[in-house]
Amino acid sequence: MRIAFSLLGLAFLGASTVAQAPAQESSALIQVRSLTIISKDLPGPERVKVAHAFEGRTCPLLEISSRVKAELSDLGYAEATAEIPRIADLLSVPPATPADITVLVTLGARYRIDRIVIKGAMAFPRDEITPQFPVVRGDLFNATAIGRGLDNIRKLYASKGYMNFGAFPTLQYDEIRHTVVLTINIDEGKRAGSGV
């Protein structure tokens, strides 16, 4: 099974280099006691939701910014950025010790799904593939839900013997309307036992 995650890379990648600490300390595990999100335009309830997703969890310092970005992406902020987390005194924080972390985020526009376009599907009609996505036209952009949709399509194709199936998602942003067209290019591959 092949699924290109260029779409999800937009949501989950975003970490840049760490300027405030040597690489050894920045890859250390950090337990998040509290997460403060600095943003001039993130509404309070969403700020709390994102912060609660981290509190009490342990993860590498470098992953915190990409995970914050992913959480924001699931709230519709498809082009959000998150800076490298700041800890008051990183060098005095032993690995996996609870720490208070601050992350500066820039949201950008909030995007909604305009439509989902399916290309290259022959084994299943479009009206059987599109419902595999837990997002529909008008919903907030949500990279995690789109990832679940890709997995659902993989399972659908696998149920009919298409083990070399590939789905290649691309996004087209409308910067004026703040919408996203999700296009899924499908390569069905050969059906097991069909010889085709």
Side-chain angles (χ1 to χ4, degrees):
M1 186 239 5
R2 299 171 286 140
I3 295 182
F5 286 102
S6 59
L7 158 72
L8 299 178
L10 296 173
F12 298 111
L13 299 179
S16 56
T17 58
V18 175
Q20 71 255 65
Q24 183 178 13
E25 287 85 0
S26 65
S27 64
L29 290 177
I30 302 294
Q31 184 181 14
V32 180
R33 177 176 36 222
S34 69
L35 176 66
T36 301
I37 298 173
I38 299 174
S39 171
K40 63 181 178 181
D41 45 6
L42 183 63
E46 292 175 349
R47 188 183 308 254
V48 170
K49 181 179 181 180
V50 173
H52 282 313
F54 289 88
E55 292 172 353
R57 295 205 169 159
T58 302
C59 60
L61 179 63
L62 285 179
E63 287 184 19
I64 292 173
S65 61
S66 60
R67 289 182 184 185
V68 167
K69 185 176 176 182
E71 290 286 331
L72 294 170
S73 176
D74 288 349
L75 295 172
Y77 302 104
E79 298 181 312
T81 62
E83 291 189 4
I84 296 298
R86 294 187 182 104
I87 300 176
D89 188 3
L90 182 61
L91 297 178
S92 69
V93 178
T97 298
D100 298 318
I101 298 172
T102 301
V103 178
L104 175 64
V105 301
T106 305
L107 295 179
R110 194 170 214 182
Y111 286 83
R112 294 193 174 272
I113 299 294
D114 181 20
R115 66 185 180 278
I116 299 173
V117 178
I118 307 295
K119 294 183 176 180
M122 304 299 283
F124 296 95
R126 183 186 191 283
D127 63 353
E128 196 169 341
I129 295 174
T130 304
Q132 302 302 315
F133 286 92
V135 291
V136 295
R137 184 180 189 145
D139 285 354
L140 288 174
F141 178 86
N142 184 319
T144 300
I146 292 169
R148 280 195 304 269
L150 292 171
D151 192 49
N152 291 343
I153 292 174
R154 178 195 59 80
K155 290 174 185 174
L156 179 67
Y157 270 86
S159 74
K160 296 287 186 177
Y162 290 91
M163 301 315 211
N164 291 320
F165 157 85
F168 304 93
T170 57
L171 298 173
Q172 181 181 359
Y173 292 90
D174 183 329
E175 302 291 339
I176 296 170
R177 294 176 40 228
H178 299 131
T179 58
V180 175
V181 174
L182 169 63
T183 301
I184 308 295
N185 291 294
I186 293 179
D187 178 358
E188 295 178 335
K190 293 181 180 179
R191 187 174 181 182
S194 70
V196 191

